[in-house]
Amino acid sequence: MIDMATRSVKRCRICNSPLTAAGQCPGCDNRKNAKGKKPVADQAVKKDTTHTDENKAVQGQVLAVKRKPPRRAFLLNQTTADRYDVSSNVTRIGRERNNSIALSEDRYVSRHHAWILQAQGSFWLEDLGSTNTTLLNGKPVKERSQLSTGDKLTLGKTELIFITDN
């Protein structure tokens, strides 16, 4: 903000940044008080950065969005008795070792074959453009499909059973 009487640029007393025409500091998000003495926090504009994006600010109040707690789930390979945890938000399945679940012994599994996503308490299966497709209960997965306990996933020649704890 430029003071017309002295033709000098007014600066923030906290961070020394030049103030805007409205008297607001772009550097530390403060605004001069009515007396023009020093900047004070602008309560209408300032966001509460201690909350995550799962919360919403409404008229200066922070309201928590209710989310379902994460569920525990795993895939069971009945042939080898291997259990694979799929409780994280994203579980990628494929032949390469950098996948969350690496099925490197099955040459019919693509490098990045499919993934399982957890969103708001539900699990979803999505094929990642694999060569030999992903089957859910014997049917090809063409779009993201919701998983239920007992569903049979077929990736290449590997069959996995989806199981949840609750």
Side-chain angles (χ1 to χ4, degrees):
M1 183 163 100
I2 300 174
D3 185 2
M4 298 309 270
T6 61
R7 299 233 181 227
S8 64
V9 176
K10 299 240 179 188
R11 297 195 170 271
C12 175
R13 293 182 190 254
I14 294 173
C15 68
N16 203 30
S17 296
L19 298 176
T20 64
Q24 189 164 354
C25 174
C28 62
D29 201 24
N30 285 314
R31 187 172 54 181
K32 288 178 62 176
N33 63 14
K35 296 180 184 176
K37 299 274 182 179
K38 64 178 186 175
V40 294
D42 183 1
Q43 299 299 324
V45 175
K46 191 169 182 177
K47 294 179 182 174
D48 188 354
T49 58
T50 60
H51 297 279
T52 63
D53 60 342
E54 296 170 270
N55 298 325
K56 294 181 179 177
V58 179
Q59 295 177 354
Q61 296 178 344
V62 177
L63 303 173
V65 175
K66 292 184 180 180
R67 295 193 66 176
K68 293 181 181 177
R71 294 171 59 191
R72 301 284 303 159
F74 61 93
L75 294 174
L76 174 66
N77 184 337
Q78 289 183 318
T79 307
T80 62
D82 289 332
R83 285 175 57 146
Y84 305 103
D85 184 32
V86 295
S87 298
S88 62
N89 290 338
V90 178
T91 305
R92 194 170 57 187
I93 308 168
R95 194 177 66 241
E96 281 195 352
R97 296 199 184 275
N98 68 350
N99 290 300
S100 305
I101 299 173
L103 302 173
S104 54
E105 68 281 352
D106 188 345
R107 63 188 179 116
Y108 295 98
V109 173
S110 295
R111 291 181 304 138
H112 303 290
H113 199 96
W115 60 16
I116 295 175
L117 309 167
Q118 183 176 188
Q120 295 191 357
S122 296
F123 290 90
W124 301 83
L125 173 67
E126 187 174 354
D127 186 79
L128 297 175
S130 62
T131 303
N132 294 317
T133 198
T134 302
L135 301 177
L136 177 59
N137 298 322
K139 297 178 183 173
V141 175
K142 297 185 190 271
E143 58 186 32
R144 191 174 291 175
S145 303
Q146 189 170 4
L147 293 172
S148 300
T149 298
D151 281 345
K152 183 166 68 169
L153 287 67
T154 307
L155 297 93
K157 301 250 179 194
T158 305
E159 290 186 355
L160 305 166
I161 306 297
F162 178 76
I163 301 171
T164 59
D165 286 345
N166 31 336

